[in-house]
Amino acid sequence: MQTYPANLDATGLRLAVVVARFNHLISARLLDGARSAFLDNGGREDDLHIAWVPGAFEIPQAARLLAISGRYDAIVTLGSVIRGGTPHFDYVCDGVTDGVREVMRETAVPVAFGVLTVNDIEQAMDRAGGCEGNKGADVTLAAIEMANLLPALAKPPSADGS
Ligand code: INI
């Protein structure tokens, strides 16, 4: 039996973060969480590149270009879509979730999804460093894990099973 252990060591990894400026207060907190998770796990500040975009709807386009550049081991996407009184919420949510999924399928570069989809600002604050932790940090750990796992999966196993 062969098991691929979870590896959260960010040493040597290059990470790009695409972050939406819309609801800036939330985004800034998510970005703080992402940065801390990367640096606390061995990543270097020089290997962390940040791309701000206007809103969540623009995230997939920027993430796609960063992924196909071949410069990054993983991409982290951050933002928040807060439900209002119009169907706009659903369109933006669908656009960003479908778009990010498509980038992962097309490029095979891990793209972690850290876009909050919430009913109100309080829920967003809870998940951006409040009582429910920091989603930016959580998804960065997922990005690191996938960036380490995918090359290991692609490599033929050696005779000793390592
Ligand atoms: N963008 C967000 O990131 N969050 C939102 O809550 C939001 N709402 O509610 O409208 C939002 N809209 C802007 C959108 O992402 C695009 O930037 C805009 O439509 C231009 O393409």
Side-chain angles (χ1 to χ4, degrees):
M1 188 174 85
Q2 176 162 5
T3 305
Y4 297 92
N7 177 358
L8 295 177
D9 183 2
T11 305
L13 296 182
R14 289 172 64 89
L15 187 77
V17 180
V18 184
V19 53
R21 200 175 299 109
F22 206 99
N23 299 323
H24 185 271
L25 175 68
I26 304 298
S27 292
R29 289 167 183 237
L30 294 172
L31 182 56
D32 276 351
R35 179 175 172 275
S36 298
F38 185 64
L39 300 181
D40 291 351
N41 284 282
R44 286 175 357 119
E45 190 94 50
D46 284 352
D47 291 326
L48 180 63
H49 295 182
I50 316 294
W52 286 92
V53 294
F57 198 71
E58 283 72 34
I59 286 175
Q61 195 173 28
R64 180 177 178 277
L65 279 181
L66 291 164
I68 63 178
S69 75
R71 296 197 304 271
Y72 299 101
D73 299 292
I75 314 287
V76 166
T77 61
L78 302 176
S80 60
V81 193
I82 299 179
R83 190 183 291 280
T86 74
H88 198 70
F89 172 86
D90 297 308
Y91 298 137
V92 175
C93 286
D94 288 352
V96 64
T97 50
D98 292 351
V100 167
R101 190 184 308 120
E102 195 53 38
V103 175
M104 284 238 272
R105 284 211 187 113
E106 184 197 340
T107 68
V109 175
V111 185
F113 189 74
V115 179
L116 307 177
T117 53
V118 291
N119 288 327
D120 51 45
I121 187 84
E122 286 75 25
Q123 280 187 348
M125 293 289 275
D126 287 349
R127 290 166 188 155
C131 62
E132 293 192 37
N134 190 314
K135 202 68 171 167
D138 296 347
V139 304
T140 299
L141 295 180
I144 293 167
E145 183 175 341
M146 291 302 287
N148 287 322
L149 177 67
L150 295 189
L153 295 182
K155 209 171 54 177
S158 58
D160 65 2
S162 62

